[in-house]
């Protein structure tokens, strides 16, 4: 993963609990900026990262003993690669959900309060890869770093 | 989650004193909003100018806060950072809430 990545990789591991995930996401985002993640992509990366990590905490480790979430971020030439691994339950059907967003509905009481996580991840990434290997989930998110302007 | 509130006439301004509203604080935020909005104010303006980040759980908690108000009261949002605004835009919640760049903008606009 490091071969074409001039700016190197950074790794962070934290317990799969909401408070640890919250501070872990903030730390990763700050360190990515220090490592040269362009400002115009920083917000998108943070949103997608948070949704993917929250999914691990809320779903992969639901009803099983929570262990760690391991995140490796590699800043390559035009691409940021983020690998998120955990030892929780596999994704249903062994593939990432399509991420069809919740319907807004027509009244306030009908408004959805969730169901946007995978939609946001898919909107903000160039590519998503998932595999189950040796009892681990490995989710890779690829972000395009080229300046749209 | 620290919320403070001031009410002028029928408008209540609730300020969020946190740099994020995310999965770790969504439930607490929703409960604190319920407590804060047990008032007669017909319009609630949520000042989130200190909030630099929100995830879909935080968004869900704001939506739940709107529902808690019931049908005849309105929740407007003020002071959205670009990342926060983007989450509202991508999920199309920007079509549900009135979003104001700043608290001053919100207060200089009527409740309708």
């Amino acid at each position: 993963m490091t071969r074409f990545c001039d700016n190197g990789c950074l790794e962070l591991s934290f317990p799969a609990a909401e408070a640890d995930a919250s501070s872990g996401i903030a730390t990763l985002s700050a360190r990515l900026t220090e490592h040269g993640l362009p400002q115009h992509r920083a917000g998108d990366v943070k949103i997608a990262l948070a949704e993917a990590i929250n999914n691990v905490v809320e779903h992969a480790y639901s009803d099983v003993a929570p262990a760690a979430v391991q995140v490796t971020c590699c800043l390559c030439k035009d691409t940021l690669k983020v690998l998120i691994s955990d030892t929780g339950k596999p994704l249903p059907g062994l593939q990432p959900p399509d991420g069809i967003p919740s319907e807004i509905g027509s009244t306030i009481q009908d408004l959805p309060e969730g169901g946007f996580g995978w939609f946001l991840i898919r909107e903000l990434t160039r590519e998503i890869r998932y595999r189950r290997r040796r009892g681990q989930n490995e989710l890779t998110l690829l972000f395009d770093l080229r300046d749209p302007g | 989650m620290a919320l403070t509130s001031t009410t002028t006439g029928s408008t209540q301004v609730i300020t969020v004193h946190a740099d994020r509203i995310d999965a770790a604080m969504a439930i607490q935020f929703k409960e604190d909003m319920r407590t804060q909005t047990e008032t007669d104010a017909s319009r609630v303006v949520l000042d989130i100018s200190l909030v630099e980040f929100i995830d879909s759980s935080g968004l869900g908690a704001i939506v739940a806060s709107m529902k808690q108000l019931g049908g005849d009261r309105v929740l407007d949002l003020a002071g959205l950072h670009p990342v926060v605004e983007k989450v509202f835009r991508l999920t199309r919640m920007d079509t549900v809430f009135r979003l104001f760049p700043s608290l001053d903008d919100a207060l200089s606009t009527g409740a309708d």
Side-chain angles (χ1 to χ4, degrees):
Chain A
M1 207 158 165
T2 58
R3 222 167 108 210
F4 303 105
C5 302
D6 299 336
N7 296 326
C9 299
L10 57 94
E11 289 185 23
L12 191 69
S13 180
F14 46 85
E18 282 177 344
D20 298 290
S22 178
S23 55
I25 292 156
T27 302
L28 280 166
S29 181
R31 285 172 61 186
L32 278 167
T33 299
E34 286 167 20
H35 273 68
L37 177 67
Q39 196 55 44
H40 71 96
R41 293 295 276 148
D44 293 354
V45 168
K46 189 172 183 182
I47 295 166
L49 208 55
E51 298 300 334
I53 290 169
N54 288 340
N55 281 340
V56 172
V57 174
E58 289 166 27
H59 301 297
Y61 287 121
S62 71
D63 307 322
V64 297
V69 185
Q70 168 109 28
V71 186
T72 306
C73 303
C74 296
L75 272 162
C76 310
K77 195 165 176 289
D78 293 327
T79 303
L80 168 68
K81 289 184 187 181
V82 178
L83 171 64
I84 300 168
S85 340
D86 65 80
T87 55
K89 293 180 292 188
L91 283 178
L94 291 178
Q95 56 186 354
D98 292 338
I100 295 161
S102 302
E103 288 285 333
I104 292 287
S106 53
T107 71
I108 297 293
Q109 293 307 321
D110 286 342
L111 286 175
E113 294 175 35
F116 287 113
W118 280 103
F119 167 72
L120 289 170
I121 295 168
R122 289 198 180 274
E123 281 289 300
L124 298 169
T125 53
R126 186 181 72 208
E127 191 184 333
I128 298 172
R129 297 175 192 154
Y130 170 78
R131 68 174 176 175
R132 180 80 180 175
R133 198 171 67 115
R134 294 178 193 151
Q136 284 205 68
N137 295 310
E138 296 182 354
L139 180 71
T140 304
L141 308 180
L142 301 179
F143 297 88
D144 209 332
L145 299 183
R146 277 169 296 194
D147 197 325
Chain B
M1 164 100 5
L3 303 180
T4 56
S5 166
T6 57
T7 301
T8 310
S10 60
T11 300
Q12 180 183 16
V13 175
I14 299 177
T15 305
V16 182
H17 298 273
D19 64 355
R20 60 194 108 138
I21 306 174
D22 64 7
M25 46 203 89
I27 291 171
Q28 188 66 50
F29 173 81
K30 185 176 155 181
E31 285 310 308
D32 291 354
M33 280 294 284
R34 186 194 299 279
T35 308
Q36 290 285 349
T37 55
E38 284 171 349
T39 62
D40 296 328
S42 59
R43 182 192 189 202
V44 177
V45 178
L46 188 64
D47 178 2
I48 51 173
S49 54
L50 298 173
V51 177
E52 295 167 2
F53 182 70
I54 186 172
D55 64 13
S56 63
S57 301
L59 177 75
I62 292 176
V63 171
S65 304
M66 166 91 117
K67 291 184 185 178
Q68 284 172 176
L69 288 180
D72 52 353
R73 305 167 74 196
V74 65
L75 179 66
D76 292 336
L77 303 179
L80 284 78
H81 279 242
V83 179
V84 176
E85 198 260 334
K86 185 151 196 178
V87 172
F88 275 82
R89 189 156 42 80
L90 288 171
T91 58
R92 297 186 50 240
M93 286 295 176
D94 61 339
T95 64
V96 174
F97 292 89
R98 290 203 302 175
L99 310 179
F100 295 95
S102 71
L103 184 57
D104 283 348
D105 290 311
L107 295 180
S108 62
T109 306
D112 42 57

